Amino acid sequence: MPRVVSFTAARVAEVVEEPARPLNEQDVRLRTLFSGISAGTELTAYRGTNPYLSKQWDGERRLFVDGTASREYPLVGWGYEEVGEVVEIGTGVEGVSVGDRIWGTWGHRSETVVTAEYARARVLAPDVDPRVGMFSQIGGIALNVVLDADIHVGETVAVFGLGVPGQLVAQLARLNGARVIAVDGVASRRELALKLGAAEALDPADGGVAEQIRARTGGRGADVCLEVTGNYAALHEAIRSVAYSSRVCAAGFMQGDGVGLRLGEEFHHNRVQVVSTQISGVAPALQHRWDRFRLDSTAISLASSGTLRVTDLISHTFSLEQAPEAFELLHKASQDVLQVVLAGAGVTFRA
């Protein structure tokens, strides 16, 4: 029987059986090779802090309202960083073959069925490390942050938070012509950011991040700050660090009340623009040219060529059956943890 990860309660992950999906003539069956765990959105579901678990999302009015929760445990099949191998094709399928590797989103499950149309658009080149395929959506999310930032050649960009999305954002900002100052409290993450092209890396524990950034920019401040932490104090420091009448892009999934965010200070006095950057949409000025598929496929193209380095971000690999252990490791937020990967049955990997 196929297997899938289920959150049965807060901080309880189990691997359970699910029925095999039938294969129609225009479908293909994928065996999951690797599935990456998001340390942001997924952990809010695992920990029980996601607002969908306590409030109702009104899709028409786009409002969270008090009352019945939108979702409740068990939460089955979360995950959006997958790559799989075609193991079966429907009788009417053309353009996809058994053995093709497909990137996409189908959750932490041992297999899935997708349409041939979906698979044809997401074939990974055979000479590319299959783990690259896991980074389509998280890569698209990072690329969307950089598009929202509207970076120009020669500008200084400060990236707050060097987890997986922050490392990708920092690389993409540099590729877009920026001089990147990376900010994180974990030394190994700062070192990796420098290895991947950041000009400088600052430790917030040293204090005065905003002062240091202004000192490095002739007193002006960063041209744009990118917050990828999900931490209100970091967002506040990003606001302090950006130049007058400039932009902060907030990409982190903030939880609870905004403790540490003081909007009567630099935000108010420096006319700072804070933009929510989230994968459900693209900046209005770009919607006629960019969509979700272009974001994801561009990220895969950059990663496949090595222009965007993604496998450097993998720190731990577990089997699918070890998912409970993997989620608890991420929950504890050990400093050596970055991208945690679940490998499919029979897939060779190094732990």
Side-chain angles (χ1 to χ4, degrees), residues 7-12 45-48 73:
F7 302 149
T8 54
R11 286 191 60 186
V12 180
Y46 175 72
R47 290 168 170 162
Y73 294 111

Side-chain angles (χ1 to χ4, degrees), residues 111-131:
E111 69 170 55
T112 193
V113 172
V114 299
T115 66
E117 180 181 15
Y118 181 95
R120 272 195 301 270
R122 294 168 174 82
V123 176
L124 192 67
D127 60 338
V128 173
D129 185 331
R131 298 175 300 170

Side-chain angles (χ1 to χ4, degrees), residues 281-296:
V282 180
L286 301 176
Q287 287 178 357
H288 65 295
R289 293 186 286 117
W290 285 87
D291 59 15
R292 177 63 173 278
F293 178 73
R294 185 178 180 186
L295 288 170
D296 293 355

Side-chain angles (χ1 to χ4, degrees), residues 204-252:
D206 293 338
V209 169
E211 289 80 0
Q212 292 186 61
I213 289 174
R214 290 182 184 277
R216 287 161 167 76
T217 55
R220 181 184 60 248
D223 294 286
V224 62
C225 286
L226 309 178
E227 178 282 315
V228 206
T229 66
N231 181 284
Y232 288 106
L235 175 58
H236 183 72
E237 196 65 18
I239 291 170
R240 295 188 70 234
S241 301
V242 78
Y244 176 82
S245 199
S246 294
R247 178 177 296 183
V248 174
C249 290

